Amino acid sequence: KPQDFAENLALNRTIGFLGIELPDGTGKKYLDFWLANKDLYINMKGAEKVAVLRSYPSMAYNNLETQIAVNMSEQALQQRQIPFDIIFDQQLNQLDKYFVLVLANQESLTDKSIEVIKQFVKNGGGLVLTENTGKFDGWRRLREKSMYQEILSESKLDDNPSLKEEKMFTYGNGHVIYLPLIIKPKGEVKLGFESIWMMPENTNELESAVYWAAGRRLPLQVKAPDWVGISHDEQEGREIIHLFSYNNTKNAGGITLEYNGKVKKAWAVSPDYEGKKTIPFTAEGGTTVIRVSDLAVYEIIVLEK
């Protein structure tokens, strides 16, 4: 399906597997588009300012509740068009490039991981943590104090908080918000190859938590139907925004992009039409606003700075 190719191009920056024979039809259409516009997929870096941690001991020692929490968090961010990276323990030393770290029920964290995360927040980063995050160490042994309790105690706040209440506070130069639960909707849960990705019932709270924890405006804010996905890259002198739709029955409209910066020119390319098209935009203070009235399946918007 074209949606599969669009998702691959937007999130993986490559066309994906096309089989062992020369593609035709939709496959050839997207391969030709990728080859013709390959300069938009190379020599770039991700501009995402939100990271979701998949900690190995957390995901390995409890591969039901932690997996469900992470899946729902990622689905909420995707459907609310908040560009994010998935990171692992090895990437914790790169936190300084993010505004917000999301710890969705990451129960088992090593002492080193906790210290790195705490320093990230003290330096001005934002932290969203849920449920039993940091309750256990890297071997899933119960800690005397959870990570949440430690941070509260060091902030001169209650170090024996209720785990059923949301709490938001500052820690060093950063912001911390605790959500007691990512609420699973009713229905069967399937993981692995049969994963069913679900939006949590408290998606609004999770979305608001990310924006509050950032403590500043994210580089890109998007309003779009929840079946529209997004990714955001940077190249020298320009921003590259990938929009794609999961809906194969109708086009998406009413999409608004707010880029936190000034641009000189905006244009777009898509496998759904020929050539480049100029994109109108308005400047509101230091923000550039772009409105997309019609998205078929996949479009790249380039902002020249």
Side-chain angles (χ1 to χ4, degrees), residues 31 84 89 95 105 127 142 153 167 187 201 208 253 271 305:
L31 176 60
F84 68 97
D89 303 284
L95 286 180
N105 198 24
L127 180 64
L142 184 65
S153 179
K167 195 174 186 68
E201 291 187 1
S208 297
K305 297 187 288 185

Side-chain angles (χ1 to χ4, degrees), residues 164-187:
K164 296 182 179 180
E165 296 178 1
E166 178 180 320
K167 195 174 186 68
M168 48 205 301
F169 56 96
T170 58
Y171 178 64
N173 294 319
H175 294 77
V176 179
I177 182 165
Y178 171 77
L179 300 178
L181 188 64
I182 300 176
I183 303 173
K184 182 177 74 70
K186 294 180 181 179

Side-chain angles (χ1 to χ4, degrees), residues 129-132 146 148-149 152 157-169 177-181:
L129 67 163
T130 81
E131 299 155 270
N132 293 322
S146 71
Y148 177 40
Q149 291 172 316
L152 279 172
L157 299 170
D158 182 11
D159 62 355
N160 188 28
S162 168
L163 298 181
K164 296 182 179 180
E165 296 178 1
E166 178 180 320
K167 195 174 186 68
M168 48 205 301
F169 56 96
I177 182 165
Y178 171 77
L179 300 178
L181 188 64

Side-chain angles (χ1 to χ4, degrees), residues 52-78:
V52 178
L53 176 66
R54 285 176 170 247
S55 165
Y56 176 79
S58 296
M59 306 297 282
Y61 294 143
N62 182 357
N63 55 19
L64 180 60
E65 283 86 0
T66 54
Q67 295 278 352
I68 292 172
V70 168
N71 284 13
M72 288 195 296
S73 298
E74 293 170 359
Q75 188 69 11
L77 294 175
Q78 179 75 356

Side-chain angles (χ1 to χ4, degrees), residues 51 62 88 101 124 167 175 198 260 277 295:
N62 182 357
F88 302 91
L101 175 64
K167 195 174 186 68
H175 294 77
M198 303 173 293
N260 189 27
K277 71 177 183 182
L295 172 69

